Amino acid sequence: MKRIMTAALGAAIIATPAFAEYPERAITMVVPFSAGGPTDTVTRLVAESMSKDLGQQIVVENVGGAGGTLGAGKVAKADADGYTLLLHHIGMATSATLYRKLAYDPLNAFDYVGLVTDVPMVIVARPNFEPADLKGLIEYVKANKDKVNYANAGIGAASHLCGMMFMSAIETKLTAVPYKGTGPALTDLMGGQVDFMCDQTTNTTNQIKEKKIKAYATTTAKRLDALPDVPTAGEGGLPGFQVGIWHAVYAPKGTPKAAIDKLSAALQKALKDPNVVERFASLGTVPVTQEEATPAALEAKLKSEIARWKPVIESAGEYAD
Ligand code: ASP
């Protein structure tokens, strides 16, 4: 027994200084949606800046599907060695209730690195979609509910959540076309294959400015500096229609604290990187504060968001298996 304990102690002593060198090789950061979408954009900007601080490359891997739950499930099962991370959004909280059989427990399968940003959403449509404004969209959708379709990134995605809120606000059920991420959905929207969707400003701001898509309303209390001509949903007739899509970085449960501390510090620095701040601003979002880019703030946020969305989802009664 004594020999076993001595051996274990020896291994721990050897392991600690080795971890002081972390990271010694490239890190993989999983995005649970397709390349070219809003979560992917946020991840690539942050990962590039964190790489500089950590002295190792962060390779972004897109594992899209099932509203982000496939990618999150992959990271939940990965080695907890600091070399596999996840950048997910609000879907980490909503999928906890939306999915009856989730392969992981959102609250217990991960260690927390920190929050990243809170991105507004905007209701957008194909460029030649008939309705001129939000009021017109609501009337049109109600009158044509069997022919109108809207895109989302699967159950649990932000686009699904916003679509659900829209359908419940206007008391009309529509057909959803699910994608592995809203990057490819946006391509189809621009091409006219789907009618409308709700997506983060990080994916839609440039296309709105270039008039490649139509914008009806933001999900914010006030108009956005990046899109000053787009009214809020409240202005357009849907008071209280507000939602922000927060993003955060996670690691598999059991990741050494030394690694988590280094990752949090690198995240905090990345969120102050002028290049990140400027690109975020041009896409209609701002980084969180240093205090929010911490494990404790993320844990508190995830808990409160699971509790906040549970009754909303339960009253909508839409689940996935
Ligand atoms: N954020 C998008 C959504 O939740 C998905 C994506 O990033 O592609 O709908």
Side-chain angles (χ1 to χ4, degrees), residues 26-27 41 53 64 82 102 111 132 147 153 169 179 194 220 250 260 286 321:
I27 296 170
T41 300
D53 185 61
L102 209 50
D111 279 326
K147 83 173 206 235
Y179 289 78
V194 276
T220 47
Y250 304 81
I260 297 288
V286 285
D321 284 327

Side-chain angles (χ1 to χ4, degrees), residues 151-299:
N152 70 22
I155 294 184
S159 44
H160 168 253
L161 182 66
C162 186
M164 242 173 42
M165 285 168 58
F166 182 69
M167 290 189 293
S168 119
I170 68 167
E171 293 170 358
T172 306
K173 188 117 181 59
L174 300 170
T175 308
V177 183
Y179 289 78
K180 284 187 177 174
T182 43
L186 183 68
T187 307
D188 276 7
L189 194 75
M190 289 191 287
Q193 279 91 329
V194 276
D195 294 322
F196 80 103
M197 71 170 172
C198 212
D199 201 11
Q200 283 108 302
T201 56
T202 34
N203 202 36
T204 48
T205 300
N206 292 336
Q207 290 77 359
I208 293 169
K209 285 183 181 155
E210 290 162 14
K211 303 213 179 325
K212 289 184 181 158
I213 49 176
K214 246 180 185 174
Y216 290 115
T218 64
T219 62
T220 47
K222 284 196 284 182
R223 287 194 186 206
L224 299 168
D225 290 345
L227 292 168
D229 300 332
V230 180
T232 65
E235 279 178 73
L238 294 180
F241 192 91
Q242 285 169 25
V243 60
I245 304 307
W246 52 275
H247 295 253
V249 179
Y250 304 81
K253 187 83 178 176
T255 300
K257 185 170 178 310
I260 297 288
D261 288 348
K262 278 201 179 175
L263 291 165
S264 284
L267 174 64
Q268 288 160 18
K269 276 196 200 151
L271 297 180
K272 288 190 182 135
D273 177 340
N275 179 45
V276 172
V277 175
E278 197 184 300
R279 283 295 313 278
F280 271 22
S282 73
L283 297 173
T285 187
V286 285
V288 298
T289 62
Q290 180 160 335
E291 292 68 40
E292 289 169 308
T294 57
L298 171 53
E299 184 174 4

Side-chain angles (χ1 to χ4, degrees), residues 24-61:
E24 293 179 297
R25 55 186 166 87
I27 296 170
T28 297
M29 195 177 268
V30 171
V31 174
F33 297 104
S34 313
T39 315
D40 182 68
T41 300
V42 166
T43 306
R44 283 175 200 272
L45 279 168
V46 169
E48 194 194 332
S49 184
M50 283 176 73
S51 297
K52 285 190 230 144
D53 185 61
L54 293 167
Q56 290 290 346
Q57 210 196 341
I58 298 185
V59 180
V60 175
E61 186 187 341

Side-chain angles (χ1 to χ4, degrees), residues 13 32 87 89 109 120 126 179 185 248 267 320:
I13 289 166
L87 197 149
H89 65 19
R126 59 182 163 85
Y179 289 78
L267 174 64

